[in-house]
PDB file of all heavy atoms in Angstrom:
ATOM      1  N   SER M 449      55.208 -65.000  16.634  1.00  0.00           N
ATOM      2  CA  SER M 449      55.865 -63.925  15.882  1.00  0.00           C
ATOM      3  C   SER M 449      54.882 -62.805  15.573  1.00  0.00           C
ATOM      4  O   SER M 449      55.217 -61.615  15.663  1.00  0.00           O
ATOM      5  CB  SER M 449      56.450 -64.474  14.574  1.00  0.00           C
ATOM      6  OG  SER M 449      57.459 -65.426  14.823  1.00  0.00           O
ATOM      7  N   ALA M 450      53.645 -63.179  15.216  1.00  0.00           N
ATOM      8  CA  ALA M 450      52.618 -62.180  14.924  1.00  0.00           C
ATOM      9  C   ALA M 450      52.301 -61.357  16.169  1.00  0.00           C
ATOM     10  O   ALA M 450      52.150 -60.128  16.103  1.00  0.00           O
ATOM     11  CB  ALA M 450      51.360 -62.854  14.401  1.00  0.00           C
ATOM     12  N   GLU M 451      52.221 -62.029  17.308  1.00  0.00           N
ATOM     13  CA  GLU M 451      51.928 -61.326  18.558  1.00  0.00           C
ATOM     14  C   GLU M 451      53.062 -60.371  18.916  1.00  0.00           C
ATOM     15  O   GLU M 451      52.823 -59.252  19.389  1.00  0.00           O
ATOM     16  CB  GLU M 451      51.709 -62.329  19.685  1.00  0.00           C
ATOM     17  CG  GLU M 451      51.294 -61.682  20.996  1.00  0.00           C
ATOM     18  CD  GLU M 451      51.023 -62.680  22.096  1.00  0.00           C
ATOM     19  OE1 GLU M 451      51.606 -63.776  22.056  1.00  0.00           O
ATOM     20  OE2 GLU M 451      50.232 -62.362  22.993  1.00  0.00           O
ATOM     21  N   GLU M 452      54.298 -60.786  18.671  1.00  0.00           N
ATOM     22  CA  GLU M 452      55.440 -59.922  18.957  1.00  0.00           C
ATOM     23  C   GLU M 452      55.422 -58.683  18.066  1.00  0.00           C
ATOM     24  O   GLU M 452      55.713 -57.569  18.518  1.00  0.00           O
ATOM     25  CB  GLU M 452      56.746 -60.692  18.774  1.00  0.00           C
ATOM     26  CG  GLU M 452      57.963 -59.938  19.283  1.00  0.00           C
ATOM     27  CD  GLU M 452      59.242 -60.743  19.220  1.00  0.00           C
ATOM     28  OE1 GLU M 452      59.183 -61.917  18.792  1.00  0.00           O
ATOM     29  OE2 GLU M 452      60.300 -60.197  19.586  1.00  0.00           O
ATOM     30  N   LEU M 453      55.071 -58.862  16.795  1.00  0.00           N
ATOM     31  CA  LEU M 453      54.930 -57.718  15.890  1.00  0.00           C
ATOM     32  C   LEU M 453      53.863 -56.761  16.407  1.00  0.00           C
ATOM     33  O   LEU M 453      54.043 -55.543  16.405  1.00  0.00           O
ATOM     34  CB  LEU M 453      54.572 -58.194  14.486  1.00  0.00           C
ATOM     35  CG  LEU M 453      55.693 -58.663  13.568  1.00  0.00           C
ATOM     36  CD1 LEU M 453      55.108 -59.333  12.332  1.00  0.00           C
ATOM     37  CD2 LEU M 453      56.578 -57.490  13.157  1.00  0.00           C
ATOM     38  N   LYS M 454      52.738 -57.325  16.831  1.00  0.00           N
ATOM     39  CA  LYS M 454      51.626 -56.517  17.333  1.00  0.00           C
ATOM     40  C   LYS M 454      52.042 -55.696  18.553  1.00  0.00           C
ATOM     41  O   LYS M 454      51.744 -54.491  18.644  1.00  0.00           O
ATOM     42  CB  LYS M 454      50.458 -57.436  17.698  1.00  0.00           C
ATOM     43  CG  LYS M 454      49.257 -56.719  18.305  1.00  0.00           C
ATOM     44  CD  LYS M 454      48.175 -57.716  18.713  1.00  0.00           C
ATOM     45  CE  LYS M 454      48.600 -58.533  19.911  1.00  0.00           C
ATOM     46  NZ  LYS M 454      47.520 -59.457  20.367  1.00  0.00           N
ATOM     47  N   ILE M 455      52.744 -56.340  19.469  1.00  0.00           N
ATOM     48  CA  ILE M 455      53.118 -55.674  20.713  1.00  0.00           C
ATOM     49  C   ILE M 455      54.207 -54.626  20.486  1.00  0.00           C
ATOM     50  O   ILE M 455      54.132 -53.510  21.009  1.00  0.00           O
ATOM     51  CB  ILE M 455      53.599 -56.716  21.751  1.00  0.00           C
ATOM     52  CG1 ILE M 455      52.421 -57.606  22.184  1.00  0.00           C
ATOM     53  CG2 ILE M 455      54.209 -56.036  22.969  1.00  0.00           C
ATOM     54  CD1 ILE M 455      52.833 -58.796  23.031  1.00  0.00           C
ATOM     55  N   ARG M 456      55.198 -54.961  19.689  1.00  0.00           N
ATOM     56  CA  ARG M 456      56.370 -54.079  19.557  1.00  0.00           C
ATOM     57  C   ARG M 456      56.169 -52.928  18.582  1.00  0.00           C
ATOM     58  O   ARG M 456      56.601 -51.798  18.851  1.00  0.00           O
ATOM     59  CB  ARG M 456      57.587 -54.901  19.158  1.00  0.00           C
ATOM     60  CG  ARG M 456      58.080 -55.824  20.264  1.00  0.00           C
ATOM     61  CD  ARG M 456      59.291 -56.628  19.833  1.00  0.00           C
ATOM     62  NE  ARG M 456      60.405 -55.766  19.424  1.00  0.00           N
ATOM     63  CZ  ARG M 456      61.550 -56.245  18.942  1.00  0.00           C
ATOM     64  NH1 ARG M 456      61.730 -57.547  18.823  1.00  0.00           N
ATOM     65  NH2 ARG M 456      62.510 -55.404  18.575  1.00  0.00           N
ATOM     66  N   ILE M 457      55.524 -53.176  17.435  1.00  0.00           N
ATOM     67  CA  ILE M 457      55.378 -52.086  16.453  1.00  0.00           C
ATOM     68  C   ILE M 457      53.941 -51.938  15.943  1.00  0.00           C
ATOM     69  O   ILE M 457      53.679 -51.109  15.084  1.00  0.00           O
ATOM     70  CB  ILE M 457      56.327 -52.277  15.252  1.00  0.00           C
ATOM     71  CG1 ILE M 457      55.934 -53.515  14.432  1.00  0.00           C
ATOM     72  CG2 ILE M 457      57.772 -52.371  15.717  1.00  0.00           C
ATOM     73  CD1 ILE M 457      56.685 -53.623  13.113  1.00  0.00           C
ATOM     74  N   GLY M 458      53.021 -52.746  16.486  1.00  0.00           N
ATOM     75  CA  GLY M 458      51.637 -52.697  16.016  1.00  0.00           C
ATOM     76  C   GLY M 458      50.955 -51.381  16.322  1.00  0.00           C
ATOM     77  O   GLY M 458      51.295 -50.690  17.280  1.00  0.00           O
ATOM     78  N   CYS M 459      49.985 -51.013  15.495  1.00  0.00           N
ATOM     79  CA  CYS M 459      49.225 -49.782  15.719  1.00  0.00           C
ATOM     80  C   CYS M 459      47.921 -49.840  14.927  1.00  0.00           C
ATOM     81  O   CYS M 459      47.845 -50.488  13.887  1.00  0.00           O
ATOM     82  CB  CYS M 459      50.027 -48.549  15.312  1.00  0.00           C
ATOM     83  SG  CYS M 459      50.649 -48.594  13.617  1.00  0.00           S
ATOM     84  N   VAL M 460      46.897 -49.166  15.445  1.00  0.00           N
ATOM     85  CA  VAL M 460      45.622 -49.058  14.728  1.00  0.00           C
ATOM     86  C   VAL M 460      45.336 -47.606  14.364  1.00  0.00           C
ATOM     87  O   VAL M 460      44.311 -47.289  13.779  1.00  0.00           O
ATOM     88  CB  VAL M 460      44.463 -49.662  15.557  1.00  0.00           C
ATOM     89  CG1 VAL M 460      44.653 -51.151  15.716  1.00  0.00           C
ATOM     90  CG2 VAL M 460      44.329 -48.982  16.909  1.00  0.00           C
ATOM     91  N   SER M 461      46.235 -46.718  14.755  1.00  0.00           N
ATOM     92  CA  SER M 461      46.312 -45.341  14.270  1.00  0.00           C
ATOM     93  C   SER M 461      47.778 -45.135  13.923  1.00  0.00           C
ATOM     94  O   SER M 461      48.651 -45.559  14.686  1.00  0.00           O
ATOM     95  CB  SER M 461      45.884 -44.335  15.345  1.00  0.00           C
ATOM     96  OG  SER M 461      44.533 -44.511  15.699  1.00  0.00           O
ATOM     97  N   LYS M 462      48.058 -44.505  12.793  1.00  0.00           N
ATOM     98  CA  LYS M 462      49.444 -44.426  12.343  1.00  0.00           C
ATOM     99  C   LYS M 462      50.330 -43.713  13.364  1.00  0.00           C
ATOM    100  O   LYS M 462      49.953 -42.698  13.947  1.00  0.00           O
ATOM    101  CB  LYS M 462      49.529 -43.746  10.985  1.00  0.00           C
ATOM    102  CG  LYS M 462      49.073 -44.649   9.833  1.00  0.00           C
ATOM    103  CD  LYS M 462      49.635 -44.185   8.505  1.00  0.00           C
ATOM    104  CE  LYS M 462      49.296 -45.181   7.414  1.00  0.00           C
ATOM    105  NZ  LYS M 462      49.897 -44.804   6.115  1.00  0.00           N
ATOM    106  N   ARG M 463      51.520 -44.273  13.549  1.00  0.00           N
ATOM    107  CA  ARG M 463      52.489 -43.700  14.477  1.00  0.00           C
ATOM    108  C   ARG M 463      53.144 -42.452  13.884  1.00  0.00           C
ATOM    109  O   ARG M 463      53.269 -42.327  12.665  1.00  0.00           O
ATOM    110  CB  ARG M 463      53.584 -44.719  14.802  1.00  0.00           C
ATOM    111  CG  ARG M 463      53.103 -45.935  15.591  1.00  0.00           C
ATOM    112  CD  ARG M 463      54.231 -46.922  15.770  1.00  0.00           C
ATOM    113  NE  ARG M 463      53.840 -48.094  16.544  1.00  0.00           N
ATOM    114  CZ  ARG M 463      53.968 -48.211  17.857  1.00  0.00           C
ATOM    115  NH1 ARG M 463      54.480 -47.199  18.558  1.00  0.00           N
ATOM    116  NH2 ARG M 463      53.600 -49.312  18.491  1.00  0.00           N
ATOM    117  N   ASP M 464      53.573 -41.543  14.744  1.00  0.00           N
ATOM    118  CA  ASP M 464      54.284 -40.347  14.288  1.00  0.00           C
ATOM    119  C   ASP M 464      55.657 -40.720  13.730  1.00  0.00           C
ATOM    120  O   ASP M 464      56.149 -40.090  12.790  1.00  0.00           O
ATOM    121  CB  ASP M 464      54.451 -39.363  15.448  1.00  0.00           C
ATOM    122  CG  ASP M 464      53.118 -38.839  15.956  1.00  0.00           C
ATOM    123  OD1 ASP M 464      52.187 -38.762  15.135  1.00  0.00           O
ATOM    124  OD2 ASP M 464      53.008 -38.527  17.153  1.00  0.00           O
ATOM    125  N   LYS M 465      56.260 -41.765  14.306  1.00  0.00           N
ATOM    126  CA  LYS M 465      57.569 -42.210  13.877  1.00  0.00           C
ATOM    127  C   LYS M 465      57.471 -43.636  13.350  1.00  0.00           C
ATOM    128  O   LYS M 465      56.934 -44.515  14.024  1.00  0.00           O
ATOM    129  CB  LYS M 465      58.561 -42.139  15.038  1.00  0.00           C
ATOM    130  CG  LYS M 465      59.968 -42.564  14.673  1.00  0.00           C
ATOM    131  CD  LYS M 465      60.887 -42.469  15.890  1.00  0.00           C
ATOM    132  CE  LYS M 465      62.313 -42.922  15.534  1.00  0.00           C
ATOM    133  NZ  LYS M 465      63.210 -42.848  16.717  1.00  0.00           N
ATOM    134  N   LEU M 466      57.981 -43.855  12.150  1.00  0.00           N
ATOM    135  CA  LEU M 466      57.929 -45.185  11.540  1.00  0.00           C
ATOM    136  C   LEU M 466      58.862 -46.138  12.279  1.00  0.00           C
ATOM    137  O   LEU M 466      60.032 -45.830  12.499  1.00  0.00           O
ATOM    138  CB  LEU M 466      58.314 -45.107  10.067  1.00  0.00           C
ATOM    139  CG  LEU M 466      58.132 -46.392   9.244  1.00  0.00           C
ATOM    140  CD1 LEU M 466      56.650 -46.709   9.087  1.00  0.00           C
ATOM    141  CD2 LEU M 466      58.790 -46.241   7.867  1.00  0.00           C
ATOM    142  N   LEU M 467      58.337 -47.308  12.656  1.00  0.00           N
ATOM    143  CA  LEU M 467      59.128 -48.343  13.306  1.00  0.00           C
ATOM    144  C   LEU M 467      59.243 -49.548  12.389  1.00  0.00           C
ATOM    145  O   LEU M 467      58.443 -49.717  11.472  1.00  0.00           O
ATOM    146  CB  LEU M 467      58.486 -48.760  14.637  1.00  0.00           C
ATOM    147  CG  LEU M 467      58.275 -47.666  15.689  1.00  0.00           C
ATOM    148  CD1 LEU M 467      57.604 -48.259  16.913  1.00  0.00           C
ATOM    149  CD2 LEU M 467      59.602 -47.012  16.067  1.00  0.00           C
ATOM    150  N   ALA M 468      60.237 -50.381  12.644  1.00  0.00           N
ATOM    151  CA  ALA M 468      60.417 -51.588  11.834  1.00  0.00           C
ATOM    152  C   ALA M 468      60.952 -52.709  12.708  1.00  0.00           C
ATOM    153  O   ALA M 468      61.575 -52.468  13.757  1.00  0.00           O
ATOM    154  CB  ALA M 468      61.361 -51.326  10.669  1.00  0.00           C
ATOM    155  N   MET M 469      60.708 -53.946  12.265  1.00  0.00           N
ATOM    156  CA  MET M 469      61.138 -55.110  13.035  1.00  0.00           C
ATOM    157  C   MET M 469      61.403 -56.276  12.093  1.00  0.00           C
ATOM    158  O   MET M 469      60.658 -56.493  11.132  1.00  0.00           O
ATOM    159  CB  MET M 469      60.050 -55.475  14.054  1.00  0.00           C
ATOM    160  CG  MET M 469      60.281 -56.738  14.826  1.00  0.00           C
ATOM    161  SD  MET M 469      58.901 -57.070  15.956  1.00  0.00           S
ATOM    162  CE  MET M 469      59.138 -58.836  16.200  1.00  0.00           C
ATOM    163  N   ASP M 470      62.462 -57.015  12.357  1.00  0.00           N
ATOM    164  CA  ASP M 470      62.751 -58.222  11.582  1.00  0.00           C
ATOM    165  C   ASP M 470      61.909 -59.383  12.112  1.00  0.00           C
ATOM    166  O   ASP M 470      61.745 -59.534  13.329  1.00  0.00           O
ATOM    167  CB  ASP M 470      64.226 -58.593  11.690  1.00  0.00           C
ATOM    168  CG  ASP M 470      65.124 -57.624  10.929  1.00  0.00           C
ATOM    169  OD1 ASP M 470      64.604 -56.927  10.032  1.00  0.00           O
ATOM    170  OD2 ASP M 470      66.327 -57.559  11.241  1.00  0.00           O
ATOM    171  N   VAL M 471      61.390 -60.181  11.198  1.00  0.00           N
ATOM    172  CA  VAL M 471      60.611 -61.350  11.590  1.00  0.00           C
ATOM    173  C   VAL M 471      61.013 -62.516  10.699  1.00  0.00           C
ATOM    174  O   VAL M 471      61.245 -62.348   9.497  1.00  0.00           O
ATOM    175  CB  VAL M 471      59.089 -61.077  11.495  1.00  0.00           C
ATOM    176  CG1 VAL M 471      58.668 -60.760  10.066  1.00  0.00           C
ATOM    177  CG2 VAL M 471      58.283 -62.246  12.035  1.00  0.00           C
ATOM    178  N   ARG M 472      61.100 -63.698  11.299  1.00  0.00           N
ATOM    179  CA  ARG M 472      61.520 -64.890  10.550  1.00  0.00           C
ATOM    180  C   ARG M 472      60.321 -65.801  10.338  1.00  0.00           C
ATOM    181  O   ARG M 472      59.498 -66.000  11.239  1.00  0.00           O
ATOM    182  CB  ARG M 472      62.612 -65.636  11.315  1.00  0.00           C
ATOM    183  CG  ARG M 472      63.079 -66.931  10.628  1.00  0.00           C
ATOM    184  CD  ARG M 472      64.178 -67.603  11.421  1.00  0.00           C
ATOM    185  NE  ARG M 472      65.416 -66.843  11.361  1.00  0.00           N
ATOM    186  CZ  ARG M 472      66.329 -66.987  10.412  1.00  0.00           C
ATOM    187  NH1 ARG M 472      66.138 -67.856   9.428  1.00  0.00           N
ATOM    188  NH2 ARG M 472      67.425 -66.266  10.430  1.00  0.00           N
ATOM    189  N   GLY M 473      60.218 -66.341   9.137  1.00  0.00           N
ATOM    190  CA  GLY M 473      59.149 -67.276   8.810  1.00  0.00           C
ATOM    191  C   GLY M 473      59.616 -68.287   7.776  1.00  0.00           C
ATOM    192  O   GLY M 473      60.802 -68.366   7.457  1.00  0.00           O
ATOM    193  N   ARG M 474      58.665 -69.031   7.225  1.00  0.00           N
ATOM    194  CA  ARG M 474      58.986 -70.024   6.202  1.00  0.00           C
ATOM    195  C   ARG M 474      58.444 -69.579   4.865  1.00  0.00           C
ATOM    196  O   ARG M 474      57.267 -69.262   4.731  1.00  0.00           O
ATOM    197  CB  ARG M 474      58.378 -71.384   6.583  1.00  0.00           C
ATOM    198  CG  ARG M 474      58.567 -72.464   5.505  1.00  0.00           C
ATOM    199  CD  ARG M 474      58.226 -73.840   6.040  1.00  0.00           C
ATOM    200  NE  ARG M 474      56.888 -73.911   6.587  1.00  0.00           N
ATOM    201  CZ  ARG M 474      55.785 -74.134   5.857  1.00  0.00           C
ATOM    202  NH1 ARG M 474      55.878 -74.268   4.543  1.00  0.00           N
ATOM    203  NH2 ARG M 474      54.603 -74.215   6.430  1.00  0.00           N
ATOM    204  N   SER M 475      59.319 -69.528   3.869  1.00  0.00           N
ATOM    205  CA  SER M 475      58.908 -69.145   2.531  1.00  0.00           C
ATOM    206  C   SER M 475      57.962 -70.182   1.951  1.00  0.00           C
ATOM    207  O   SER M 475      58.251 -71.390   1.974  1.00  0.00           O
ATOM    208  CB  SER M 475      60.132 -68.998   1.625  1.00  0.00           C
ATOM    209  OG  SER M 475      59.734 -68.832   0.267  1.00  0.00           O
ATOM    210  N   LEU M 476      56.834 -69.730   1.436  1.00  0.00           N
ATOM    211  CA  LEU M 476      55.867 -70.642   0.829  1.00  0.00           C
ATOM    212  C   LEU M 476      56.289 -71.032  -0.587  1.00  0.00           C
ATOM    213  O   LEU M 476      55.673 -71.913  -1.197  1.00  0.00           O
ATOM    214  CB  LEU M 476      54.484 -69.989   0.804  1.00  0.00           C
ATOM    215  CG  LEU M 476      53.874 -69.705   2.177  1.00  0.00           C
ATOM    216  CD1 LEU M 476      52.582 -68.915   2.027  1.00  0.00           C
ATOM    217  CD2 LEU M 476      53.631 -70.987   2.942  1.00  0.00           C
TER     218      LEU M 476
END
Side-chain angles (χ1 to χ4, degrees):
S449 297
E451 184 178 27
E452 190 175 359
L453 277 169
K454 177 183 70 177
I455 293 171
R456 291 180 58 184
I457 67 170
C459 54
V460 294
S461 296
K462 285 201 174 183
R463 293 176 179 268
D464 296 330
K465 181 180 179 181
L466 188 68
L467 302 179
M469 174 182 159
D470 289 340
V471 62
R472 178 179 290 272
R474 175 168 56 85
S475 171
L476 296 173

